[in-house]
Amino acid sequence: MKIDVLVLNGVFATGLAAVLDAFAMANDLGAAQGLSSLAFDVTVVGFRCEVRSNQGFKVPVSPARARTPPDWVVVPAIGERAPEPLAAALAAPEARAAARLLRQWGDRGVHLAAACIGTFVAAESGLLNGEVATTTWWLAPYFRQRYPLVRLEDGRMLVRSGRVLTAGAALSHTDMALWLIRQASPLLAETTARYLIVDSRPTQSAYAMRDHLAHTDPLVQQFERWARDRLAGGFSLDEAAHAVGAAKRTLARRIDKVLGKSMLSYFQDLRVERAVHLLRTSRDDVEKIAAAVGYADGVTLRNLLRRKLGRGVREIRSDRAAGDLTN
């Protein structure tokens, strides 16, 4: 499999290293197992002879335009964490050149993979329009605003849609690389993951800080405060709208725009967040915690945790045990 890793100046050092190390490990393990035919031909490409990572590391680069189109082009993140500097970076000539190249390669059948803030570079090309995608969770509101034609599902860690693969925040670069390795050999991907000590992480919802997202909009922030005080009770659209002083339709529209979900879905997310916190920090049993967040019984809570987080109560409790050992 021929893979070009398209890097821009200011590339996220950890993300780039994670991708390159995963493929290098897979190549070494494949050769040791007599699977040399599965070797990944990986080249770092770009629009200058050398880029500097966000940590100042120098990265040698091959000219992208001189390359034969690869099977996959991988776009790691750039090291911007807030909308304003990110918008400036995306408007730079180098980012615009990357978007043009991705469009050209897309027209020639090249598959595209992007992780974290690299998904913004991919979206600039237009190749994500009409596709389902994910992105780094804390910039999801800005992504929705900037790319309304992309069907964003930011709770997911990896999303494959058409010829595009997108990954969530930061260390999802590793998940993305392992997914690509798995297309060549599931066994090689599993072995690589074991050597790298990488667990399966189907969702990034477990890591997202909902209050951070809500605080990007004052009305949504008011709804969040009301909801957190009502987790043990039932959800009421009329009461929520009255509490924040907005029409029901206005409130629903704003929450969908900022968070990409309905008020009830967000309310349920807050319940899950509180339940996880209690599981990790208290000695209460599951039945008591379920009642504290408004669920009828522990079975309902267990199923919800498994569905939304991909983790069971025992796994979440183990986080607390690990924390106890370090205290």
Side-chain angles (χ1 to χ4, degrees):
M1 184 185 296
K2 186 170 182 243
I3 297 172
D4 280 2
V5 181
L6 181 62
V7 297
L8 304 182
N9 208 41
V11 63
F12 178 46
T14 300
L16 175 60
V19 169
L20 297 180
D21 284 344
F23 286 120
M25 178 68 76
N27 280 339
D28 289 345
L29 293 172
Q33 296 174 13
L35 301 174
S36 299
S37 60
L38 297 178
F40 299 92
D41 178 10
V42 181
T43 306
V44 178
V45 303
F47 303 97
R48 54 179 78 193
C49 297
E50 178 183 273
V51 300
R52 282 186 179 270
S53 77
N54 65 323
Q55 295 298 327
F57 300 122
K58 296 180 180 179
V59 181
V61 174
S62 298
R65 291 193 181 91
R67 302 275 298 172
T68 302
D71 299 307
W72 282 86
V73 56
V74 171
V75 185
I78 51 178
E80 303 292 351
R81 298 180 180 86
E84 293 77 11
L86 176 56
L90 294 172
E94 190 175 25
R96 293 201 299 269
R100 288 194 297 271
L101 180 65
L102 291 175
R103 282 196 299 272
Q104 293 168 9
W105 280 356
D107 290 341
R108 299 178 67 174
V110 174
H111 292 75
L112 168 62
C116 192
I117 297 170
T119 58
F120 282 79
V121 179
E124 288 290 312
S125 72
L127 295 176
L128 272 60
N129 289 349
E131 304 291 354
V132 182
T134 188
T135 191
T136 181
W137 62 263
W138 70 83
L139 286 172
Y142 181 53
F143 191 99
R144 287 191 177 89
Q145 173 189 339
R146 189 175 179 102
Y147 310 112
L149 298 181
V150 182
R151 295 150 56 198
L152 189 66
E153 295 184 3
D154 55 290
R156 297 170 65 181
M157 186 72 76
L158 288 172
V159 175
R160 171 70 187 277
S161 183
R163 294 203 307 269
V164 177
L165 173 70
T166 50
L171 295 183
S172 68
H173 284 81
T174 302
D175 301 79
M176 175 181 67
L178 289 172
W179 188 96
L180 291 170
I181 294 167
R182 192 170 295 110
Q183 306 318 295
S185 168
L187 176 60
L188 182 57
E190 180 182 353
T191 306
T192 302
R194 287 180 177 273
Y195 269 76
L196 295 175
I197 316 182
V198 178
D199 294 326
S200 175
R201 296 172 294 177
T203 173
Q204 61 175 345
S205 297
Y207 306 93
M209 294 183 290
R210 296 294 171 187
D211 57 343
H212 175 94
L213 297 176
H215 292 177
T216 62
D217 184 286
L219 187 61
V220 179
Q221 187 175 3
Q222 290 180 58
F223 173 78
E224 182 211 3
R225 290 198 194 100
W226 173 86
R228 287 188 182 277
D229 290 337
R230 287 292 306 267
L231 295 182
F235 173 79
S236 168
L237 176 56
D238 289 332
E239 290 182 21
H242 177 74
V244 303
K248 291 183 287 186
R249 184 173 297 178
T250 299
L251 180 58
R253 185 167 57 247
R254 292 277 281 278
I255 288 177
D256 181 68
K257 181 179 179 180
V258 173
L259 302 175
K261 58 185 60 186
S262 68
M263 283 185 284
L264 180 57
S265 178
Y266 181 48
F267 191 81
Q268 291 173 335
D269 286 348
L270 294 176
R271 280 176 160 172
V272 169
E273 180 187 89
R274 176 73 61 80
V276 169
H277 174 73
L278 292 173
L279 286 167
R280 287 173 173 166
T281 60
S282 77
R283 300 293 176 180
D284 294 339
D285 61 28
V286 177
E287 295 295 331
K288 186 173 182 179
I289 290 173
V293 297
Y295 290 112
D297 52 56
V299 173
T300 301
L301 178 58
R302 289 176 188 275
N303 291 336
L304 193 63
L305 292 172
R306 180 63 68 182
R307 188 173 72 249
K308 281 187 169 289
L309 305 182
R311 307 179 73 201
V313 168
R314 183 175 298 177
E315 295 167 291
I316 295 170
R317 289 283 199 194
S318 69
D319 293 342
R320 182 184 67 190
D324 289 346
L325 292 174
T326 63
N327 291 332

